[in-house]
Amino acid sequence: MNNIFEEIYKIVKLIPKGKVMTYGDIARCLGNVRLSRVIGYALHSNPYFGDVPCHRVVNRFGGLAPNFAFGKINAQKQMLENEGIVVRKDNTVDLEKYRYTIN
DNA sequence: TAGATGACTAATA
DNA sequence: CTATTAGCCATCT
């Protein structure tokens, strides 16, 4: 499938361990920041769970998604911590520290 | 088949 | 400064 979804997954897969990316950054990589919405749906659908580290994708505040596809937000939090990322009590990460930008 | 919705963000009023 | 509108695309009803 050569649609926007594949592009999204391609970018997400490029996120190194211990780093996170925002929807906006991914969308900007695709050439249009407004695609951030599509990214959200793409990960919500989550057809490639296991291949796509959707837990490394956070919103612009660094906050984790309220409805994690696999389990609860707790699961995402656990996975991030497992990679060495410190998640705050309010389920947010330090973007200045963990934000990964491709360009 | 057509319309509404959603893990969002940035720009404008 | 805060609040609202616009824009994207796939899936759901």
Side-chain angles (χ1 to χ4, degrees):
Chain A
M1 286 173 65
N2 287 347
N3 50 5
I4 197 75
F5 273 45
E6 288 300 321
E7 298 297 316
I8 294 168
Y9 301 134
K10 199 181 298 181
I11 301 293
V12 175
K13 283 192 219 172
L14 290 178
I15 304 175
K17 178 183 172 189
K19 291 282 181 183
V20 298
M21 254 185 115
T22 67
Y23 297 97
D25 288 337
I26 296 171
R28 202 168 40 197
C29 277
L30 298 180
N32 203 345
V33 285
R34 304 192 237 302
L35 288 173
S36 53
R37 234 176 179 204
V38 185
I39 295 168
Y41 206 97
L43 298 180
H44 168 67
S45 169
N46 198 11
Y48 294 98
F49 188 81
D51 289 332
V52 179
C54 45
H55 56 274
R56 291 183 193 150
V57 182
V58 296
N59 60 24
R60 69 182 177 87
F61 298 109
L64 279 59
N67 299 329
F68 190 51
F70 186 65
K72 296 187 169 64
I73 188 168
N74 233 5
Q76 184 176 9
K77 187 173 168 186
Q78 281 291 317
M79 284 191 268
L80 289 173
E81 290 179 341
N82 187 37
E83 296 187 350
I85 298 176
V86 178
V87 181
R88 297 171 195 269
K89 296 175 186 175
D90 55 342
N91 300 317
T92 58
V93 300
D94 191 338
L95 280 180
E96 290 297 305
K97 199 175 177 63
Y98 301 112
R99 189 180 196 184
Y100 175 69
T101 48
I102 291 181
N103 294 328

